[in-house]
Amino acid sequence: MNKINPLYMFIFFVIVAFLMIYKSVQTQNNIVQMARHNVQVEQDGSYIKSLKDRWKNPKESKARIEKILSKFPKEITSKERKKGTYIIKSETLNAQSADKLINALLNEAIVLKKVKLERTSKTTVSMLVEVIL
Amino acid sequence: MSFIKKKPNKNIQTIFLTLKNDKINTQEKVNIVLSPSFYWFKKEALPVKNSAQAKKILPALFDGSIPEGNYSYAAIKKKDDFWIFAYDDALIARALTDAGIKSTQIKDIYFSQTEVTLFGTALRIDNQYALMSSDDCISMVPLTYTQADKELQEYFQDHVFSKHSLSVSLYQNNVIDEKYLYRLMVLSVACIIIYLGNYIVLSNDLKQERIQEYLLGEKYKLPATSFERKSLKSSLESKEKRQLAMREKLKELFILSLQKDEFFKKLDISEKKLSLEIVMKEPKRAEALKQQLQKIITISSAKVVDKTFYVGAEL
């Protein structure tokens, strides 16, 4: 059998060596990019989670509303749950209670769909708050 | 060592190469049989077990008995001894080039010694020379020294070649010396092995990063693509913005400066709309109230009926 020309073999090995170096460098760059990407994903993930917890967490929202309402047992006339919303009604709220209740609801991370306040008399208001769970 | 006989391949021409060959006009594959002019041959009993071991000591065995030069060596184990050969690759390559045979055409190259078996007869090569055997040694002699009964080409027509083809370097590297090429090749191979190892390790690291990405997605329950994540983030931020804006509007409305006996009769607010009914002290107050409200909301409708100011706004 005839020997293969060592020059051709050398060229072949050099090409393969360059390919290996290129793939190594490329993979290294991919790792760096991937690592940066993962840092970004972690940041985004953490941020999105906090947003979701505030504005897209039905269980948490319900718990927050219930906690507020538990502080105003006499003032709340009705509370009903309907198709992903929570409707809170109060027929006769005095100024002080209305102020406290509305402040409590506004300062909580719950998605307010509608707030309706109506003066029923000189000293009382009725309130309807619809919350999306 | 026993021969493994191959079937004669009638499609491949056999060329007997001598130092003075005419140009051979063929593009077909050929087998080359070297005349004894191309090699030195000895029969010796050697203190080794096989051909591979024998090859290592051949340079010493031929040293001093053949002219100085750059030789390749071959050894074939026989029953009681070894057939050993020394040959010059460059000489063979030159002869093939002179005969017009390209290296790509050559199937195999053989020694006459291994391919020709003569029992008292001689083979006629051409008008001047013949091949004959003397003490198991094939040599090329002038035709006048012997009586040739058969033509050499006739002999090779149905000849089944042995497995003892030789390895010949059919190139002449003028660029770099062969031994340096082999050293550079070793360096290249070492480089390949190192970077292959590196690549394997890096591939594993990359795989770990991809797993990490997947785990982060699972941890934060994120959508698969960055486009979807961006979209989700955007929608949640919008929602937050609208909710905070709504609260801000309400707070500002609650601190709206009203005169004595003025009050909100009705307030109805959602993320997109607001309607307001303000009972005023007198209808002329509407303009002043409107100006205050315009700092908070974008009024879309406003009308006064008696002392009640009806305001509608888009948020």
Side-chain angles (χ1 to χ4, degrees), chain B residues 118-131:
Chain B
L118 299 168
F119 301 103
T121 55
L123 291 173
R124 189 165 173 277
I125 299 168
D126 55 25
N127 292 335
Q128 291 181 295
Y129 294 98
L131 275 183

Side-chain angles (χ1 to χ4, degrees), chain B residues 1-58:
Chain B
M1 183 180 279
S2 61
F3 291 118
I4 297 167
K5 295 280 181 185
K6 301 177 207 168
K7 288 182 193 170
N9 193 333
K10 292 193 177 153
N11 295 329
I12 300 180
Q13 196 182 340
T14 303
I15 290 169
F16 186 77
L17 193 71
T18 62
L19 287 171
K20 288 175 187 173
N21 267 108
D22 296 326
K23 276 270 191 220
I24 294 160
N25 291 320
T26 181
Q27 302 302 316
E28 306 295 316
K29 279 275 190 193
V30 293
N31 279 320
I32 305 292
V33 176
L34 298 174
S35 84
S37 326
F38 286 104
Y39 58 86
W40 301 96
F41 166 70
K42 284 187 186 183
K43 258 194 319 185
E44 294 222 6
L46 300 174
V48 293
K49 287 181 187 171
N50 53 49
S51 305
Q53 289 176 353
K55 242 179 135 177
K56 290 176 191 172
I57 61 171
L58 293 187

Side-chain angles (χ1 to χ4, degrees), chain A residues 1-18 20-28 30-32 34-52 54-56 99 102-103 105-120 122 125 130 132-133, chain B residues 72 89 103 106-109 165-173 175-176 178 181-182 184-185 188-189 191-192 195-199 201-203 205-206 208-210 212-214 216-217 219-223 226 229-230 232-233 235-237 239-240 243-244 246-247 250-251 254 263-271:
Chain A
M1 196 174 115
N2 304 320
K3 288 183 198 168
I4 300 169
N5 190 337
L7 189 62
Y8 296 155
M9 283 168 62
F10 170 66
I11 292 167
F12 168 74
F13 283 125
V14 164
I15 290 169
V16 172
F18 271 116
M20 288 316 314
I21 293 168
Y22 170 74
K23 287 301 286 180
S24 286
V25 169
Q26 190 187 50
T27 309
Q28 179 67 44
N30 287 344
I31 289 169
V32 168
M34 201 72 208
R36 279 195 200 133
H37 168 75
N38 284 344
V39 165
Q40 189 59 49
V41 168
E42 170 91 61
Q43 285 172 355
D44 285 349
S46 174
Y47 178 55
I48 287 170
K49 185 175 184 296
S50 69
L51 283 172
K52 268 187 187 173
R54 288 200 294 277
W55 308 112
K56 207 174 180 181
D99 185 49
I102 203 74
N103 269 326
L105 288 167
L106 291 182
N107 288 327
E108 192 55 79
I110 49 176
V111 182
L112 298 168
K113 188 178 175 184
K114 188 178 186 169
V115 174
K116 192 173 171 182
L117 294 164
E118 197 169 347
R119 197 186 202 205
T120 48
K122 223 175 172 177
V125 294
E130 210 173 319
I132 300 172
L133 292 175
Chain B
S72 296
D89 294 80
S103 60
I106 300 167
K107 187 175 179 292
D108 285 303
I109 302 176
S165 61
L166 47 147
S167 173
V168 179
S169 301
L170 296 175
Y171 49 82
Q172 296 299 312
N173 267 328
V175 180
I176 308 172
E178 195 175 308
L181 268 178
Y182 281 118
L184 288 169
M185 256 193 275
S188 307
V189 170
C191 198
I192 289 167
Y195 276 95
L196 179 64
N198 189 41
Y199 173 71
V201 168
L202 290 174
S203 295
D205 290 345
L206 184 61
Q208 293 305 318
E209 289 293 337
R210 288 205 171 111
Q212 177 67 8
E213 188 198 21
Y214 170 77
L216 283 171
K219 180 182 174 186
Y220 294 113
K221 292 182 180 40
L222 295 173
S226 60
R229 281 197 291 271
K230 214 171 170 180
L232 173 63
K233 185 174 150 187
S235 90
L236 288 169
E237 281 175 336
K239 187 176 253 181
E240 184 173 65
Q243 285 293 305
L244 293 177
M246 194 169 127
R247 283 155 169 82
L250 269 173
K251 282 181 183 167
F254 288 155
F263 55 89
F264 284 123
K265 189 168 177 214
K266 201 171 178 184
L267 184 149
D268 192 341
I269 186 170
S270 66
E271 275 186 2

Side-chain angles (χ1 to χ4, degrees), chain B residues 103-213:
Chain B
S103 60
T104 49
Q105 283 178 263
I106 300 167
K107 187 175 179 292
D108 285 303
I109 302 176
Y110 301 89
F111 298 116
S112 309
Q113 183 64 40
T114 59
E115 302 310 315
V116 176
T117 310
L118 299 168
F119 301 103
T121 55
L123 291 173
R124 189 165 173 277
I125 299 168
D126 55 25
N127 292 335
Q128 291 181 295
Y129 294 98
L131 275 183
M132 64 174 275
S133 174
S134 170
D135 192 25
D136 281 341
C137 181
I138 301 291
S139 44
M140 196 164 91
V141 298
L143 205 52
T144 48
Y145 281 26
T146 182
Q147 195 172 347
D149 302 328
K150 206 174 172 184
E151 295 289 326
L152 186 63
Q153 278 304 325
E154 212 181 300
Y155 178 87
F156 282 124
Q157 252 175 12
D158 290 319
H159 176 68
V160 176
F161 284 93
S162 68
K163 66 173 187 174
H164 302 295
S165 61
L166 47 147
S167 173
V168 179
S169 301
L170 296 175
Y171 49 82
Q172 296 299 312
N173 267 328
N174 295 321
V175 180
I176 308 172
D177 196 344
E178 195 175 308
K179 69 176 176 196
Y180 294 119
L181 268 178
Y182 281 118
R183 283 178 194 171
L184 288 169
M185 256 193 275
V186 167
L187 270 172
S188 307
V189 170
C191 198
I192 289 167
I193 291 168
I194 289 166
Y195 276 95
L196 179 64
N198 189 41
Y199 173 71
I200 290 168
V201 168
L202 290 174
S203 295
N204 192 48
D205 290 345
L206 184 61
K207 189 180 162 189
Q208 293 305 318
E209 289 293 337
R210 288 205 171 111
I211 290 170
Q212 177 67 8
E213 188 198 21

